[in-house]
Amino acid sequence: MVKVKNEYINREISWLHFNARVLQESADKKVPLIDRLRFLGIFSNNLDEFFKVRYATVKRIVDAGKKGKSVLGGERAQDLLEEITKIVIAQQARSLEILNSIEEELKTENIFIIDENEVDESQAEFIRDYFFKKVNQELMTIILNDLTEFPLLKDTAAYLAVKMVMKNGEALGTYGNNRYALIEIPKGIDRFIELPKQGEKNYIIILDDLIRFCLDSVFTMFEFESITAHMIKITRDAELDIDNDLTKSFIEKISSSVEHRKISDPVRFVYDKHIDKDTLQFLKEKMNIIDTDSVIPGGRYHNRRDYMGFPSLGRQDLMYQKIEPLPVKGLSMKGSLLDKIALKDYLIYTPYHTFTYVTKFLREAALDPKVRAIKITVYRLANDSQIASALINAVKNGKQVTVQIELQARFDEQANIEYANQLQAEGINLIFGVPGLKVHSKICLVEREEAEGIKRYGFISTGNFNESTAKIYTDYTLFTAHEGILKEMNKVFEFFETNYKINKYKHLIVSPHYTKSTFIKLIDNEIANAIVGKEAYIKIKMNSLTSYKMVDKLYEASKAGVKVQLIIRGVCCLIPGVEGMSENIEAISIVDKFLEHPRLFIFGNQGDPKIYISSADWMTRNLDFRVEVGCPIYDEDIKQELLDTFNISWRDNLKARIFSEKQDNAYRSIKADESELRSQFELYDYYQKKLES
């Protein structure tokens, strides 16, 4: 059981238990086999990002000589680092067990992942030919013995640490007769190489093993008795250190900070647990790695995030069936979307609904002669973004296009810098945010000149305007022509350009000035209702709950008798179900085929629910250090739809895990009077039935 100090679960520990839920999916035999491998990749990718960001932050506290208890939920920073390392070592071991189990199951499906020792003669010829044509020229190979300075290893790149035992006892100084080298695994080549089929049998060799098979061809100039190669990887601190040089543009500063990541401090060293002791000792000495660093023994293969791209082999039966995104009832793609939105609000819930509505809205605005201006916030775009294309199309048609682009979107900085340069070159007015605040809001505003004057149309979302992630992230997007909402949306864009002016809002909930206080007032209203014996409830769906201020407020609501239901995908610092503190709070997490991403807030309000969607989780950064926008739902049909979708998710008894002080990710059990309900599948059925009604 996790040690719980005060009334909170530590944020970092809660995150690791979220990632354990992802790992559960890779072990779940109800999940298709190839998708189980891909969940294993997601688990690994998540862990890399955790060490780059969260572990690195705690390590900075330790390196600064601070304890950090006030910001770490009562944990001492050094103790927390040790606890993290212990949990991660156990999770890595579990992930390796799961991988081995999946590989055995794949064999029953005639899919064989072989290593360099299992290659037959016909495969050997194919492998050597593949190596010389595609791999050899891409290899970066470094002989280490005679180097005065150890080479700089790239963040999360995978390397083979090679040990050659030389013939004739060739003396190599302090290293005896061992010669050491590093081979960087090329990123531009598929990690999984499909070998020629043999009857019904599919064979795959991992690139690492293909290189191992051809090691003698890499080191032909050396005479060695034996040669071995084991995988190593380091993870570096990903925090951006932005200088305050006034002569540099903001783009230049971000570009420089992204470049600096390449030489930032290592925060994790992972190695194949079967590596020779002398090789490991050699590497640790050369890299100045000490035992207090996060040194983690792992399996034969690192960068298991690559399993996210495991080949399908044409086996659709071993993967989730792709769903066909549905249209929204009453919102035809034919004719003008703007004309339809002028009459009523519409809600899309991707990926159950098609994201095409968003791109069609922008393309229509780009061509409509009456449209004068388009304003939009950009956080993460797809690689070949239809959103960017529509905005460029608009400016070419004479529209005034303003794009607020967030250059500090974590791990998308370089992509956003490239988009910024492209959009700026096309004549789009770019805004680079607010000093000290990330812009995380998801809003778009269109101004159209009509007979009665300027009319506004727009949309607001819980997720990014990214057609790629819209296929796998669940998010709400509201299309509206509500004048009050859209006038206030325009105020947000004014704030981007005039930061010192703080606007007031009647409809929107805007961070950093009003989100926390507005939600506290809404909770207080439920508390007041509960105290006088009226029905009082709160239903919330979001990604993370880490703000101690908001956790305390929910505890206060629980003590007053307010019924609280929380669906939190990721980190949850709140402990539900504790007598005298949170007995009226229940909390679950759903991890399934799609990534749960909406932020939905429902307050009972004496039978007339107040409902909001938002870009903000209840984290300190979202409440106090970002520009976030929440939007009220006024349309009664959409309010009912959001209540329905929340309740479907709440009743999930196949993929819902229960939050508790134990943090054991226990699945919710199916009660005697219940049938099985898998909410993501049920939601698709719900929207299909709406179309038929």
Side-chain angles (χ1 to χ4, degrees), residues 509-511 514-527 538-540 542 550 553-554 599-603 610-618 623 628-631:
I509 303 177
V510 181
S511 293
Y514 302 112
T515 301
K516 187 192 298 180
S517 60
T518 301
F519 279 124
I520 285 173
K521 286 178 185 175
L522 288 163
I523 296 171
D524 281 337
N525 184 53
E526 296 305 310
I527 291 172
I538 298 169
K539 300 172 185 277
I540 297 173
M542 57 186 166
M550 301 310 294
K553 201 67 192 175
L554 290 174
R599 288 89 170 191
L600 172 63
F601 304 90
I602 302 168
F603 300 90
K610 291 189 175 184
I611 301 179
Y612 302 84
I613 61 171
S614 177
S615 59
D617 292 311
W618 282 1
L623 300 174
E628 308 271 10
V629 177
C631 180

Side-chain angles (χ1 to χ4, degrees), residues 287-463:
M287 297 169 68
N288 294 317
I289 292 173
I290 57 177
D291 290 336
T292 54
D293 292 326
S294 192
V295 179
I296 297 176
R300 178 180 173 88
Y301 309 102
H302 305 326
N303 280 4
R304 288 204 285 271
R305 65 172 182 264
D306 292 339
Y307 280 101
M308 290 191 292
F310 190 83
S312 64
L313 301 167
R315 294 295 302 272
Q316 299 302 318
D317 58 315
L318 299 182
M319 297 183 292
Y320 278 123
Q321 288 186 340
K322 291 182 179 180
I323 65 167
E324 186 66 33
L326 300 167
V328 174
K329 186 175 182 180
L331 191 59
S332 170
M333 286 290 186
K334 297 177 182 178
S336 168
L337 282 186
L338 298 183
D339 287 349
K340 295 181 180 71
I341 294 166
L343 300 176
K344 74 178 297 291
D345 291 354
Y346 290 92
L347 183 80
I348 68 169
Y349 191 7
T350 55
Y352 313 110
H353 290 135
T354 175
F355 185 78
T356 307
Y357 287 111
V358 174
T359 52
K360 178 172 170 50
F361 179 97
L362 287 170
R363 290 204 174 278
E364 180 180 334
L367 299 180
D368 188 334
K370 294 180 182 178
V371 168
R372 293 289 173 259
I374 301 172
K375 301 176 183 180
I376 191 170
T377 58
V378 166
Y379 196 75
R380 300 185 199 276
L381 291 174
N383 287 337
D384 294 311
S385 172
Q386 296 173 26
I387 303 297
S389 175
L391 296 171
I392 291 169
N393 196 18
V395 82
K396 288 183 182 296
N397 279 298
K399 318 300 182 190
Q400 293 179 353
V401 180
T402 299
V403 175
Q404 195 295 317
I405 188 165
E406 181 50 69
L407 296 184
Q408 297 181 73
R410 181 87 67 183
F411 304 123
D412 274 322
E413 296 93 347
Q414 190 59 48
N416 282 4
I417 288 168
E418 291 170 7
Y419 268 121
N421 288 327
Q422 179 188 354
L423 296 174
Q424 206 162 37
E426 296 288 352
I428 290 174
N429 175 39
L430 286 191
I431 307 172
F432 294 118
V434 183
L437 301 174
K438 273 189 183 181
V439 178
H440 190 248
S441 55
K442 325 293 186 183
I443 55 176
C444 177
L445 176 67
V446 167
E447 294 179 346
R448 190 171 187 256
E449 194 173 289
E450 300 183 3
E452 61 274 20
I454 293 294
K455 178 149 179 84
R456 295 182 176 92
Y457 302 81
F459 55 83
I460 183 166
S461 184
T462 64

Side-chain angles (χ1 to χ4, degrees), residues 484-687:
I485 288 173
L486 296 173
K487 276 187 176 179
E488 292 187 357
M489 195 182 290
N490 199 46
K491 287 184 180 180
V492 177
F493 283 101
E494 289 174 359
F495 174 67
F496 294 148
E497 300 199 74
T498 313
N499 308 150
Y500 60 82
K501 184 179 179 182
I502 300 174
N503 295 300
K504 293 186 177 180
Y505 302 92
K506 178 182 177 183
H507 304 280
L508 298 183
I509 303 177
V510 181
S511 293
H513 304 114
Y514 302 112
T515 301
K516 187 192 298 180
S517 60
T518 301
F519 279 124
I520 285 173
K521 286 178 185 175
L522 288 163
I523 296 171
D524 281 337
N525 184 53
E526 296 305 310
I527 291 172
N529 289 336
I531 288 173
V532 297
K534 296 178 181 177
E535 181 188 31
Y537 66 83
I538 298 169
K539 300 172 185 277
I540 297 173
K541 187 173 189 179
M542 57 186 166
N543 296 307
S544 296
L545 172 57
T546 65
S547 165
Y548 298 145
K549 178 93 174 178
M550 301 310 294
V551 169
D552 288 343
K553 201 67 192 175
L554 290 174
Y555 286 157
E556 183 184 342
S558 174
K559 291 172 186 174
V562 180
K563 298 296 181 183
V564 180
Q565 295 175 333
L566 303 173
I567 305 176
I568 313 290
R569 171 175 56 88
V571 180
C572 181
C573 293
L574 177 148
I575 310 169
V578 177
E579 188 176 350
M581 181 177 78
S582 58
E583 65 263 38
N584 287 308
I585 303 176
E586 296 178 86
I588 63 170
S589 173
I590 296 170
V591 178
D592 200 354
K593 176 181 178 180
F594 303 123
L595 186 141
E596 297 281 334
H597 197 251
R599 288 89 170 191
L600 172 63
F601 304 90
I602 302 168
F603 300 90
N605 193 41
Q606 298 187 58
D608 181 20
K610 291 189 175 184
I611 301 179
Y612 302 84
I613 61 171
S614 177
S615 59
D617 292 311
W618 282 1
M619 305 175 74
T620 302
R621 69 185 189 193
N622 302 96
L623 300 174
D624 298 331
F625 301 110
R626 289 186 172 185
V627 179
E628 308 271 10
V629 177
C631 180
I633 304 298
Y634 294 137
D635 183 281
E636 291 299 324
D637 291 338
I638 295 177
K639 287 174 77 170
Q640 187 59 53
E641 182 180 330
L642 288 168
L643 281 165
D644 290 346
T645 57
F646 181 93
N647 290 333
I648 288 170
S649 294
W650 184 255
R651 297 200 308 273
D652 193 309
N653 53 26
L654 290 178
K655 289 296 181 179
R657 284 76 155 180
I658 299 170
F659 281 109
S660 69
E661 184 176 331
K662 295 179 181 178
Q663 290 282 282
D664 57 0
N665 287 327
Y667 284 88
R668 173 184 273 170
S669 57
I670 301 173
K671 296 176 182 176
D673 59 344
E674 290 181 338
S675 56
E676 292 186 348
L677 191 149
R678 191 167 176 177
S679 59
Q680 291 188 352
F681 290 29
E682 188 73 18
L683 283 165
Y684 189 74
D685 292 343
Y686 168 84
Y687 281 112

